[in-house]
Amino acid sequence: MMILVAGPYRSGTGDDPAKLAANVHAMNAAALELFDAGHLPVTGEALALPLIELAGSSRVGDGPFDRIFHPIAERLLERCDAVLRIGGPSAGADAMVEQARAQGKSVFTDLAGIPAA
């Protein structure tokens, strides 16, 4: 399955770069486990962050950031089979879960619950 890993990016970080990086690391660690289980993991951050930088963003939450960050995850989810929701509170990750359910996709909250590829 192609699985979107959705978790907090900004929530609870105060936009502290080290905390943002830790959240990306947590999503990437989950993605690696999915990959090792035979799935194709994706994160919106992996696609969005380089584009946001190229678009001229100077800080998290500015115009270029807002134009790209959530919309790219929404477009990506349309092509995924499922979502793995990780981490703590996150309005954005919860929106991805709601969108996945509305599209009839599987939603997982635990790596152990994902069937082997």
Side-chain angles (χ1 to χ4, degrees):
M1 290 186 289
M2 186 165 146
I3 303 173
L4 176 69
V5 179
Y9 177 65
R10 294 179 72 184
S11 297
T13 67
D15 294 338
D16 177 304
K19 291 178 181 178
L20 296 171
N23 284 342
V24 170
H25 178 79
M27 286 182 270
N28 288 340
L32 179 58
E33 288 190 53
L34 288 170
F35 178 80
D36 287 342
H39 299 289
L40 176 60
V42 292
T43 67
E45 288 75 8
L47 297 175
L49 294 175
L51 295 180
I52 289 166
E53 180 181 350
L54 189 61
S57 176
S58 60
R59 64 175 176 76
V60 173
D62 66 7
F65 181 95
D66 288 342
R67 180 171 65 88
I68 296 169
F69 190 76
H70 285 293
I72 206 164
E74 292 165 0
R75 292 179 193 179
L76 181 59
L77 179 57
E78 291 176 12
R79 289 160 176 79
C80 291
D81 302 301
V83 170
L84 171 62
R85 173 65 165 92
I86 68 163
S90 169
D94 291 344
M96 293 297 97
V97 167
E98 288 179 31
Q99 181 179 337
R101 287 188 174 131
Q103 294 174 5
K105 299 174 189 281
S106 298
V107 174
F108 301 100
T109 57
D110 182 2
L111 283 161
I114 299 174

